[in-house]
Amino acid sequence: MDHFHKLSEAEAVINTPKQEENEEEVDPERSMLHRPLLKENQTLSSNSIAVVGVGAKVSHIESLDYEINENDLFKQDWRSRSKKDILQYIFSKWLLAFLIGLLTGLIATLINLAVENIAGYKLLVVVEYIEQKRYLMGFAYIAVANLLLTLVATVLCVCFAPTAAGPGIPEIKAYLNGIDTPNMFGAAPLFVKIIGSIGAVSAGLDLGKEGPLVHIGCCIASLLGQGGPDNYRVKWRWLRYFNNDRDRRDLITCGSSAGVCAAFRSPVGGVLFALEEVATWWRSALLWRTFFSTAVVVVILRAFIEYCKSGNCGLFGRGGLIMFDVSGVSVTYHLTDIIPVVVIGILGGVLGSLYNHFLHKVLKVYNIINEKGKLPKLLLSLSVSLFTSICMFGLPFLAKCRPCEPDLLDRGCPTTGGTGNFKKFNCPAGYYNDLATLLITTNDEAVRNIFSINTSDEFHIFSLTLFFILYCILGLITFGIAVPSGLFLPIILMGSAYGRILGIIMEPYTKIDQGLYAVLAAASLMAGSMRMTVSLCVIFLELTNNLLLLPITMIVILIAKTVGDCFNPSIYDIILELKGLPFLDAHPEPWMRNITVGELADHKPAVVTLSGIEKVGRIVEVLKNTTHNGFPVVDIGVVPPMGAPNDAAELHGLVLRAHLILVLKKKWFLQERRRAEDCEVRQNFTSMELAERGGKIDEVRVTKDEMEMFVDLHPLTNTTPYTVVESMSVAKAMVLFRQLGLRHMLIIPKYQAAGVHPLVGILTRQDLRAHNILSAFPQLEKSAGNKRGH
């Protein structure tokens, strides 16, 4: 297994010395196996820290095998598939897409029902205490309730599924980029994510359920594709088609889009989110299935919302989902309104990049705290919960009571409980507390209140400023604690607050409603922090249900993203860097065109190759003394059809570590050095077995006599690995590596002739990362710095 916590991914090594097949004594290559995998100061290095949850170090992370392994068994299995099998495979894909959408929609409904009712009834009791002037009891109740809910979420994350903490979206991006983050998509993270999200959001913490819903959708997709949890997998015959990383990647892409749709009721936005933000690899067939999944989700959500409107769901009557429907409102703006729109975009980019910068600093501190053990994680979460409760309960007392407009008295002003824009809190009859309207409520209700239109006099600028400052602080200190959390909702609330403030300031000069200012500012802040464009625009368009907002929303988002890119990366890229996940960016650095893959190969240790017919002892030694995941198979002394000399070498392909371990476990050994018959191979191996992840070499027991036997690796070798010529630039190789979703890329010599070894080296993910290359080529760092300076 390749371990990212080591200094390099050891699959990538080069410069193979010749090896005689019958050589009995220890050769130079064997002794090389016991050397360090990297040469000090001359070889490629990698980040030594890898974290999946906040403060949870990961020691075993592998790349994923998205490439089709075209060995003899795969070809035989593919040829044996009938038309019925192919139709069954296609039908199964659509069935799984349907089930992903169905289950994600049902779980999203369950989470919304639970959050709205738990948080809603909790707040009703608090409001009742306040009306009775029992303020101390009211605070004690809300503080204890929030602490208990936070405690449940934190204990579940800390003790049962550390990978369920946080949003999960950075890890999903890494997985779809080709990095296997362990324990991210199992049954335990799914369960903890559901219960933890309910607890954390109900506790009033400044976080949303949108990010966790994306992770939940991916967990459902992964579990469906592999037939359940690892220990209780269903071995149905039709599921064998999905027992590979390639098809599981497609299912998880469907799950991510279904999760976004479940969060915002935005089917098109969900598809575009998967395409723009998380997926590295895409094709038209995947587009159709993701859209089908989101369509199923939105049908489920709409059905439950209609059912709950009659009051059958407790406090979930208004839907419990973020909604700002202005389809029946006439939205008007003029050419002069472009100026405030541009200002909103610039502010969104600046504030978004500032939020990213400070959140980066906070997460570094949290990593140090969380590394000290479970108790510090628990205390940190409870401290944040207590601080949040103090602010939520205490700050509304700083706001002045405002009289209700005479025409609003008949429409429920003030509101004593439940939903509404005019919360009475501690005010006399006929008055309301505008800050309590935003704080003493559920998160979704707060968004609807601050997005509300035709309420230009509802919120005072002092209350909005206080609300904005509070949510900036809470947004920074809450994200990173050991609970399931999302970034969407805190950023929406922060953005909408400064949008309202700007709307009040610009009211004499513009026709745009303050509620629309809030929507535009929320979109700009999300674009400035997350750097989403198309998907974000469509999500807000589907939230508002008004096409007239499209032009100004597009302008705001484009400006905010452009401004934000001038300062720092997106928040998800920052989290990926903090976690130490070797994510490959879409665009190579310009200086990567100044170096070839052959030059890169010269800075790596010698490659470890195997013969087509190899000794068992040699295989065991290689597996025990390296962490390589793939080994080139090179045959020496091959006579090509054109009649070249006997010492010609042939690059037969690449054999995977998992397949070698499977051979040793099955003890498929030959008494003599010979090629195995096809019938022998088919009797001992199936394509399903080859798709399974291999175990560890430590689990294999081989006797001394078996060490002298042989294995024919030809039937298990991928005969069509991706290769590049040694003269190709690293920039071009990186684009090819990323777009094809590779794990290994073989480098072949530019000139092929007798006596020239057919392999120069292997490139893997770690070798193509910018900081690894710069560590091996310091002179490139100077040119890179000069270009950044200009």
Side-chain angles (χ1 to χ4, degrees):
M1 284 181 280
D2 43 319
H3 307 305
F4 287 169
H5 74 293
K6 291 186 179 294
L7 291 179
S8 168
E9 187 172 64
E11 301 150 80
V13 283
I14 52 174
N15 295 338
T16 314
K18 284 189 182 179
Q19 176 193 348
E20 295 297 329
E21 293 183 348
N22 296 320
E23 190 174 358
E24 294 290 335
E25 57 187 309
V26 178
D27 61 9
E29 189 181 43
R30 291 194 181 190
S31 63
M32 200 172 298
L33 294 176
H34 302 279
R35 296 180 187 174
L37 295 176
L38 291 181
K39 298 175 184 176
E40 194 173 30
N41 297 329
Q42 291 188 359
T43 47
L44 304 172
S45 62
S46 70
N47 196 331
S48 59
I49 299 176
V51 185
V52 279
V54 177
K57 283 193 175 181
V58 173
S59 57
H60 301 288
I61 302 180
E62 294 188 15
S63 297
L64 295 166
D65 293 300
Y66 288 153
E67 182 183 354
I68 295 177
N69 199 330
E70 291 187 337
N71 53 36
D72 292 348
L73 282 169
F74 171 82
K75 294 174 183 176
Q76 176 63 30
D77 178 66
W78 190 259
R79 286 193 297 265
S80 64
R81 292 187 185 183
S82 63
K83 187 176 290 186
K84 177 185 174 183
D85 292 330
I86 295 173
L87 290 175
Q88 185 186 54
Y89 175 54
I90 296 172
F91 174 77
S92 300
K93 282 186 173 182
W94 286 96
L95 176 62
L96 288 175
F98 171 78
L99 292 175
I100 290 168
L102 176 66
L103 294 175
T104 305
L106 291 174
I107 290 176
T109 303
L110 169 67
I111 291 174
N112 280 285
L113 279 170
V115 167
E116 291 296 312
N117 283 286
I118 294 173
Y121 284 115
K122 175 191 70 178
L123 293 172
L124 286 178
V125 175
V126 173
V127 169
E128 186 176 345
Y129 278 125
I130 292 173
E131 289 181 352
Q132 297 172 4
K133 307 296 183 182
R134 301 171 65 186
Y135 299 118
L136 189 59
M137 280 297 300
F139 171 72
Y141 181 87
I142 193 172
V144 172
N146 289 344
L147 282 172
L148 289 175
L149 291 168
T150 306
L151 180 66
V152 171
T154 307
V155 168
L156 286 174
C157 285
V158 170
C159 299
F160 296 100
T163 55
I169 293 178
E171 291 88 346
I172 295 166
K173 284 188 67 172
Y175 185 93
L176 297 178
N177 191 254
I179 307 162
D180 184 17
T181 48
N183 305 318
M184 275 302 298
F185 305 112
L190 174 62
F191 172 78
V192 172
K193 207 81 176 185
I194 295 171
I195 305 301
S197 295
I198 293 173
V201 178
S202 300
L205 296 174
D206 184 22
L207 45 84
K209 54 186 177 294
E210 295 76 26
L213 276 173
V214 178
H215 191 186
I216 287 169
C218 294
C219 289
I220 292 170
S222 179
L223 290 171
L224 286 173
Q226 66 183 22
D230 291 333
N231 298 331
Y232 305 97
R233 291 174 64 179
V234 178
K235 299 289 185 179
W236 288 336
R237 183 176 178 273
W238 60 275
L239 278 175
R240 76 183 190 277
Y241 298 129
F242 303 97
N243 194 23
N244 61 80
D245 293 333
R246 189 182 182 88
D247 282 311
R248 196 173 296 130
R249 171 185 62 185
D250 290 356
L251 292 175
I252 287 177
T253 305
C254 287
S256 65
S257 59
V260 173
C261 178
F264 296 104
R265 280 187 297 169
S266 174
V268 180
V271 174
L272 292 175
F273 175 84
L275 171 61
E276 178 184 10
E277 188 63 24
V278 296
T280 298
W281 188 83
W282 197 265
R283 69 181 190 279
S284 59
L286 186 59
L287 177 70
W288 304 334
R289 284 198 298 277
T290 53
F291 185 66
F292 179 57
S293 293
T294 58
V296 174
V297 171
V298 82
V299 168
I300 297 296
L301 293 178
R302 177 57 63 182
F304 271 94
I305 288 172
E306 292 298 324
Y307 173 76
C308 291
K309 278 184 178 179
S310 57
N312 298 318
C313 305
L315 299 179
F316 189 68
R318 290 190 60 179
L321 289 168
I322 296 173
M323 182 177 64
F324 178 59
D325 192 347
V326 292
S327 56
V329 179
S330 177
V331 179
T332 58
Y333 45 87
H334 302 90
L335 187 61
T336 54
D337 295 327
I338 295 297
I339 296 176
V341 166
V342 170
V343 172
I344 290 175
I346 295 173
L347 279 175
V350 173
L351 293 175
S353 59
L354 278 174
Y355 179 77
N356 292 358
H357 173 76
F358 287 113
L359 187 59
H360 188 193
K361 303 295 183 184
V362 171
L363 290 178
K364 282 185 175 181
V365 176
Y366 278 13
N367 279 340
I368 297 172
I369 296 173
N370 291 332
E371 284 174 357
K372 297 183 181 300
K374 295 180 179 180
L375 185 60
K377 288 184 182 182
L378 185 62
L379 293 177
L380 178 61
S381 298
L382 295 179
S383 301
V384 171
S385 175
L386 183 60
F387 177 75
T388 303
S389 300
I390 293 172
C391 293
M392 295 292 186
F393 186 86
L395 288 181
F397 288 99
L398 300 179
K400 294 181 179 179
C401 293
R402 299 169 63 83
C404 295
E405 297 291 334
D407 58 335
L408 295 177
L409 290 173
D410 297 333
R411 289 189 285 164
C413 179
T415 305
T416 56
T419 61
N421 279 48
F422 305 93
K423 296 295 175 66
K424 183 179 179 182
F425 197 63
N426 63 328
C427 296
Y431 287 77
Y432 72 96
N433 189 310
D434 58 345
L435 190 53
T437 301
L438 300 175
L439 294 179
I440 309 297
T441 186
T442 62
N443 289 337
D444 286 3
E445 184 69 18
V447 173
R448 280 194 294 270
N449 289 342
I450 203 165
F451 276 2
S452 58
I453 56 173
N454 298 325
T455 54
S456 57
D457 297 324
E458 177 183 352
F459 301 105
H460 191 269
I461 194 167
F462 171 77
S463 299
L464 289 171
T465 304
L466 207 59
F467 179 81
F468 175 69
I469 295 172
L470 171 64
Y471 266 81
C472 285
I473 297 171
L474 292 179
L476 290 173
I477 67 172
T478 305
F479 186 81
I481 62 175
V483 296
S485 57
L487 280 168
F488 285 91
L489 194 105
I491 293 177
I492 286 175
L493 286 171
M494 281 187 288
S496 56
Y498 92 76
R500 276 269 180 180
I501 295 171
L502 192 61
I504 293 173
I505 296 172
M506 299 296 295
E507 186 176 14
Y509 312 103
T510 181
K511 299 292 184 182
I512 301 179
D513 189 88
Q514 287 183 21
L516 300 184
Y517 266 108
V519 173
L520 294 175
S524 73
L525 192 60
M526 287 185 72
S529 176
M530 300 180 179
R531 311 295 154 80
M532 296 159 53
T533 53
V534 180
S535 57
L536 182 61
C537 184
V538 173
I539 287 172
F540 271 86
L541 188 66
E542 290 180 295
L543 278 177
T544 58
N545 200 19
N546 196 318
L547 277 172
L548 293 174
L549 286 175
L550 179 60
I552 54 176
T553 305
M554 291 172 64
I555 293 172
V556 159
I557 289 174
L558 287 173
I559 293 174
K561 182 191 183 300
T562 304
V563 172
D565 284 337
C566 297
F567 296 101
N568 51 32
S570 74
I571 186 61
Y572 292 135
D573 290 339
I574 290 174
I575 295 172
L576 280 170
E577 182 185 354
L578 279 174
K579 291 176 180 291
L581 297 173
F583 186 85
L584 285 184
D585 293 320
H587 305 290
E589 298 288 344
W591 50 263
M592 288 183 178
R593 301 197 179 276
N594 300 330
I595 180 175
T596 66
V597 292
E599 293 171 330
L600 198 61
D602 290 337
H603 281 72
K604 303 201 63 182
V607 71
V608 177
T609 63
L610 298 172
S611 299
I613 302 173
E614 188 60 85
K615 253 191 172 183
V616 175
R618 164 70 175 167
I619 294 174
V620 172
E621 183 184 10
V622 164
L623 292 177
K624 283 187 174 180
N625 292 287
T626 69
T627 57
H628 304 24
N629 178 71
F631 302 90
V633 176
V634 177
D635 285 329
I636 307 294
V638 177
V639 179
M642 301 304 294
N646 295 357
D647 61 346
E650 175 195 24
L651 176 61
H652 188 73
L654 189 79
V655 65
L656 299 180
R657 166 180 284 266
H659 296 168
L660 294 175
I661 293 177
L662 182 63
V663 166
L664 297 178
K665 282 184 175 180
K666 283 181 169 287
K667 296 187 179 296
W668 187 60
F669 306 145
L670 303 173
Q671 295 289 344
E672 56 188 13
R673 186 183 293 273
R674 65 174 178 86
R675 295 287 291 264
E677 301 292 334
D678 290 343
C679 58
E680 293 181 275
V681 181
R682 290 196 296 271
Q683 286 173 1
N684 288 276
F685 300 97
T686 65
S687 57
M688 286 186 67
E689 289 177 323
L690 295 183
E692 292 285 347
R693 291 287 180 90
K696 297 180 179 179
I697 185 61
D698 298 335
E699 303 169 357
V700 179
R701 296 291 177 264
V702 182
T703 65
K704 187 176 181 181
D705 292 337
E706 289 171 340
M707 288 284 198
E708 300 301 318
M709 301 174 74
F710 299 91
V711 175
D712 182 13
L713 299 179
H714 294 98
L716 305 177
T717 302
N718 178 13
T719 57
T720 58
Y722 285 94
T723 61
V724 293
V725 182
E726 60 180 336
S727 57
M728 178 181 286
S729 71
V730 172
K732 194 172 182 180
M734 177 186 166
V735 172
L736 182 67
F737 191 98
R738 186 182 188 274
Q739 289 182 346
L740 295 176
L742 303 182
R743 184 171 186 172
H744 312 93
M745 179 182 283
L746 304 187
I747 306 173
I748 59 175
K750 185 175 182 180
Y751 301 102
Q752 312 235 348
V756 177
H757 200 276
L759 182 67
V760 174
I762 304 177
L763 290 180
T764 59
R765 172 179 300 273
Q766 292 284 18
D767 307 323
L768 296 171
R769 301 192 69 201
H771 75 273
N772 289 349
I773 299 174
L774 290 176
S775 66
F777 296 90
Q779 67 275 16
L780 292 175
E781 190 167 12
K782 296 179 182 178
S783 64
N786 290 336
K787 289 183 179 180
R788 283 194 295 267
H790 291 299

